[in-house]
Amino acid sequence: QVQLVESGGGLVQAGGSLRLSCAASGPTFSRYTMGWFRQAPGKEREFVAAISWNGARRYYENSVKGRFTISRDNAKNTVYLQMNALTPEDTAVYYCAADQYGGTGLTAREYDYWGQGTQVTVSS
């Protein structure tokens, strides 16, 4: 099965930046839609960003547009989330996910594999 391992989370001051990485193992990574979701305490898991298999199509939740950038390097089986201008509202556990069927990746139920998450905490 596909395994996903996130890294790069941590504590950062408001206005700062972090880059999350998600390393994948398993077959046909290059054809997967990849996504990032996040979940804050007491809230539902929400969509953050998604990227198509070739990087041609990218989608973002409205609150992160212009601040976050999703990218991928298929040769390294890795997807990234560059997060700039962070605010305390971005504090959450961030999860990497893979959709093996190449959908648009805008909803959690489309995804087949999930990482265990990495904590991002933004102080004010």
Side-chain angles (χ1 to χ4, degrees):
Q1 291 187 319
V2 172
Q3 294 181 325
L4 305 173
V5 180
E6 302 99 335
S7 62
L11 176 65
V12 64
Q13 295 181 358
S17 298
L18 286 173
R19 188 182 74 162
L20 305 184
S21 297
C22 174
S25 63
T28 64
F29 169 83
S30 63
R31 298 295 296 182
Y32 293 172
T33 294
M34 300 296 297
W36 288 96
F37 290 75
R38 66 187 181 187
Q39 187 167 20
K43 295 186 177 181
E44 297 293 322
R45 188 170 299 187
E46 68 172 348
F47 169 78
V48 177
I51 185 169
S52 62
W53 71 273
N54 61 356
R57 295 159 58 199
R58 308 179 193 214
Y59 304 92
Y60 297 95
E61 193 274 326
N62 286 335
S63 70
V64 309
K65 288 181 179 178
R67 299 190 298 121
F68 290 10
T69 302
I70 188 170
S71 61
R72 67 191 297 162
D73 185 342
N74 288 345
K76 295 182 177 180
N77 284 358
T78 302
V79 62
Y80 305 95
L81 185 68
Q82 178 67 46
M83 305 186 295
N84 299 326
L86 286 162
T87 74
E89 286 68 41
D90 296 314
T91 295
V93 177
Y94 283 70
Y95 298 90
C96 175
D99 173 12
Q100 64 181 301
Y101 301 111
T104 54
L106 301 180
T107 61
R109 66 186 303 168
E110 297 178 52
Y111 289 87
D112 304 289
Y113 305 101
W114 294 83
Q116 63 183 12
T118 185
Q119 177 71 48
V120 172
T121 302
V122 184
S123 62
S124 60

